[in-house]
Amino acid sequence: MANFHRLLNWMKQAGVTMAGFIGGEPTLCPDLPEMIQRTRDSGIAVTLFTNGLFPSCLIPEIIPSVANFVVNYNDPTIYHSQTQLDLLHQNLALLSQSGCRITFSKNFSPGYTGYEYLLKGAQHYDVRTVRYDISRPGSNGENDHFASDKTIEMMKKIVSFVRDCEDRGLKTGLDCCVKYCDLSVADRRYMSQVSMKFTGICHPSIDIHPDLSASYCLPLSEVSVPDVTVFPSKERLTHHFAEAVRPSRFENVSIDCSNCHFFKTRCQGGCLATKNQESRGIQLP
């Protein structure tokens, strides 16, 4: 908590206007209600990323302080028991009935590319926005993610997903960047028009850890700083991370990338973490 108070003071001085609590599962932290309340009281909007499997008694404590609940709404087959599913739907019902803003989060990973359940859930709980992405490598590259040669077929599925969301009045937002060549010209134009944050170049998400170190993003954990509070502003921190990846942003790409007129202007040739993992010769699924 001492580190949290130090971070909160820094965020106020650095001009931070929104903070997301992530994990792991942040609701496992016993100090979470106090942390998000203090953040809200400091004039910083709070987004809570959660799997939705927290005790329902926590909801009245955190509702007043959370501007947006981003719920990782998984394929029903992923949950270990009916008890987990019942708890998830109970919490979603309580949040929806309380008028909370709920955003569903969908990660497309190998074996879990279906989404009809999510469309039904969004309608049932009056969810209006969906954050989506293809799965990205963890810091060791051992999690179940897509390799570069698998993303073309996956992006066809993504485009269908976005179209189905649009047909139902659901706004969508991409989390990380994609390769432009993974989509047809028509699909790329469509996605650019309707899906928020659709881009071929990533920007620092700045994930701050409990010891006040921070990384460019969780998959790119090796690009980090030991203490964010030494930076005088959010802009200086963001600039530092952008400069840190500049030498490698356009490395480890194909000849097709190098010859593409979008390369280095609107596309970086794929996720930096994915390119880094593959350049090290790590076996990918």
Side-chain angles (χ1 to χ4, degrees), residues 132 158-166 172 190-191 194-195:
Y132 69 93
I158 295 287
V159 174
S160 295
F161 168 71
V162 170
R163 290 186 183 277
D164 286 342
C165 286
E166 282 289 315
T172 60
Y190 171 78
M191 296 288 278
V194 305
S195 195

Side-chain angles (χ1 to χ4, degrees), residues 103-242:
T103 297
F104 276 167
S105 179
K106 169 66 176 176
N107 288 318
F108 289 84
S109 60
Y112 296 100
T113 60
Y115 57 81
E116 187 62 33
Y117 72 92
L118 184 143
L119 299 178
K120 292 179 180 178
Q123 182 179 17
H124 185 75
Y125 296 113
D126 196 28
V127 173
R128 304 296 177 86
T129 54
V130 178
R131 165 240 170 253
Y132 69 93
D133 200 3
I134 60 174
S135 56
R136 310 288 175 158
S139 57
N140 58 12
E142 295 178 356
N143 63 310
D144 201 14
H145 63 278
F146 288 105
S148 293
D149 60 353
K150 303 295 184 182
T151 53
I152 292 180
E153 287 303 312
M154 193 60 248
M155 289 310 300
K156 294 178 182 177
K157 187 80 171 183
I158 295 287
V159 174
S160 295
F161 168 71
V162 170
R163 290 186 183 277
D164 286 342
C165 286
E166 282 289 315
D167 288 345
R168 290 161 175 79
L170 279 170
K171 298 305 296 181
T172 60
L174 176 66
D175 196 30
C176 300
C177 68
V178 297
K179 287 192 296 183
Y180 267 29
C181 61
D182 282 346
L183 296 94
S184 68
V185 173
D187 284 345
R188 191 164 60 235
R189 184 179 299 115
Y190 171 78
M191 296 288 278
S192 297
Q193 290 172 346
V194 305
S195 195
M196 296 176 290
K197 293 176 61 180
F198 181 81
T199 180
I201 292 182
C202 68
H203 300 284
S205 62
I206 309 181
D207 290 305
I208 302 173
H209 312 136
D211 63 356
L212 298 185
S213 65
S215 55
Y216 182 93
C217 64
L218 289 180
L220 211 63
S221 58
E222 65 268 27
V223 182
S224 62
V225 297
D227 184 354
V228 294
T229 65
V230 303
F231 290 85
S233 67
K234 177 188 66 175
E235 288 74 22
R236 288 285 294 274
L237 178 60
T238 302
H239 178 75
H240 172 86
F241 276 120

